[in-house]
Amino acid sequence: MNPVVVLTAIISLALAEGFKLGFNLDEDRLKIVGGHPIGIEQVPYQVSVQIKTRSSQRHICGGAIISADKVLTAAHCISDKGKYAVRAGSSNHNDGGQLVNVADYHIHPEFSNYHLTNDIGMLRLEISLYFSRTVSLISLAYSEQFYSPQYEAFISGWGSILYESSLSDRLQGVSVPLVSHELCSELYTDFNNITETMFCAGLVKKGGKDSCQGDSGGPVALNGYLIGIVSWGYGCAAPKYPGVYSNVFAFRNWIYPLL
C-alpha cells in the first residue's frame, strides 16, 4: 500500500486504512482508547480546538496552552479557510470554561500533508486566557532525555474510545510507554518514515491504550512538561502500531520565536 496520502484524501484514508488523524470532521468518527475519565484540573493545559460555523462551533482537535495567548496543536488540524476557537478550563468540549476565538495561526513551513512530517502548528488567541486551577500553561520539554523508552507519557483528549466510535463529551486520559525510535521505524516501514521530529508511544505487543480520532493536536505530557503533540498512527490501540507524535523538543527553534 502507499505509505501516506495527501491531505485532501486524509478522511478516506482514515476510514479505509485505519489512520487516526484528528482532521476527520465527521462527529461519528471523532477519545482516548483504554483510558479513563479525568477532570480538566488534572490537565489544565488541555484545550479543545473548535471549528466555527455561522451559528456554532464544534470540537475537531486538541491543543496545549503554552502561554496566555498561544496554543500548540497539530498542523493537520488547521486549514487556511477555517475559522477557529479554543475552549479552555472545561472537562467537556461543548460547554463551560473559557471559549476564545483564534486571531491567527502559524503552520510549520515544512509541514508535509503527504508524509505528515513537521505536523505542528501554533494558534494565537484574540484575548489572553485567565489562568486558574483549571486553566494554565505547560512548560516545553527542554532535553532529549524526556524521550527515553523507560518513561510513560500521559495523553488526554476527547477523541474516540474505540476506533470509529462516537465523540467523547467527557475528557479522557491514558498513560502509555514510550517506544524506541528504532523499533517504531521498523514497525512502520510499510507505511511512513518515522523522522527525527517524531516519536512513538504505545503498548507494542498487546495494544489497547492509545490516542484516537479527535485527539489529534492534543498534549503528550511527561513529568509536567509537554513532550509531544498527537499526530497520526495506524488504527487506534492496535498491536504493533504505537501512536506517532510530533516531538516538541525538536521544534523548539520554531516555537520560541513565535511566543
Side-chain angles (χ1 to χ4, degrees):
M1 62 175 289
N2 293 329
V4 181
V5 298
V6 295
L7 186 57
T8 53
I10 278 177
I11 293 178
S12 296
L13 179 62
L15 301 182
E17 299 295 345
F19 270 64
K20 57 171 184 209
L21 296 168
F23 196 70
N24 187 341
L25 300 185
D26 180 349
E27 283 192 72
D28 289 335
R29 301 187 185 280
L30 291 174
K31 316 175 174 149
I32 294 290
V33 178
H36 56 278
I38 59 173
I40 191 65
E41 63 277 0
Q42 295 175 253
V43 287
Y45 48 82
Q46 169 88 50
V47 301
S48 166
V49 177
Q50 311 212 343
I51 191 165
K52 299 184 65 178
T53 65
R54 290 183 179 180
S55 59
S56 64
Q57 61 280 320
R58 61 189 177 98
H59 173 86
I60 55 167
C61 283
I65 303 168
I66 59 171
S67 77
D69 67 342
K70 301 293 192 313
V71 168
L72 278 184
T73 189
H76 77 255
C77 292
I78 307 169
S79 164
D80 288 341
K81 297 181 180 180
K83 294 184 178 181
Y84 302 95
V86 302
R87 188 183 299 280
S90 177
S91 301
N92 263 311
H93 63 79
N94 53 9
D95 61 52
Q98 303 174 49
L99 184 64
V100 179
N101 288 333
V102 172
D104 58 39
Y105 44 79
H106 297 271
I107 294 173
H108 194 284
E110 297 178 9
F111 168 61
S112 167
N113 57 23
Y114 184 87
H115 296 292
L116 291 173
T117 50
N118 304 302
D119 188 14
I120 192 167
M122 185 181 293
L123 310 176
R124 182 176 69 85
L125 308 182
E126 283 188 353
I127 60 174
S128 294
L129 295 167
Y130 174 73
F131 285 169
S132 66
R133 71 182 186 90
T134 58
V135 179
S136 67
L137 60 79
I138 184 171
S139 298
L140 304 180
Y142 57 83
S143 169
E144 293 179 347
Q145 294 180 357
F146 280 93
Y147 301 91
S148 170
Q150 64 182 307
Y151 297 133
E152 283 198 350
F154 191 75
I155 307 169
S156 50
W158 290 273
S160 302
I161 56 173
L162 295 171
Y163 181 64
E164 294 187 334
S165 71
S166 61
L167 184 68
S168 173
D169 290 334
R170 179 67 187 272
L171 185 62
Q172 306 277 318
V174 68
S175 294
V176 291
L178 303 187
V179 177
S180 73
H181 196 272
E182 293 74 20
L183 176 57
C184 193
S185 295
E186 179 181 332
L187 294 171
Y188 275 105
T189 297
D190 295 332
F191 289 89
N192 199 7
N193 182 31
I194 305 299
T195 71
E196 293 302 319
T197 62
M198 303 173 184
F199 71 95
C200 301
L203 299 173
V204 172
K205 291 185 178 181
K206 62 180 182 179
K209 293 183 177 183
D210 200 1
S211 52
C212 203
Q213 291 97 348
D215 292 320
S216 278
V220 184
L222 177 64
N223 295 333
Y225 290 88
L226 183 69
I227 68 168
I229 297 294
V230 179
S231 182
W232 62 277
Y234 180 76
C236 298
K240 299 183 180 180
Y241 294 108
V244 185
Y245 304 92
S246 296
N247 181 322
V248 166
F249 178 71
F251 292 108
R252 64 196 183 281
N253 292 334
W254 178 78
I255 295 170
Y256 284 118
L258 296 175
L259 290 177

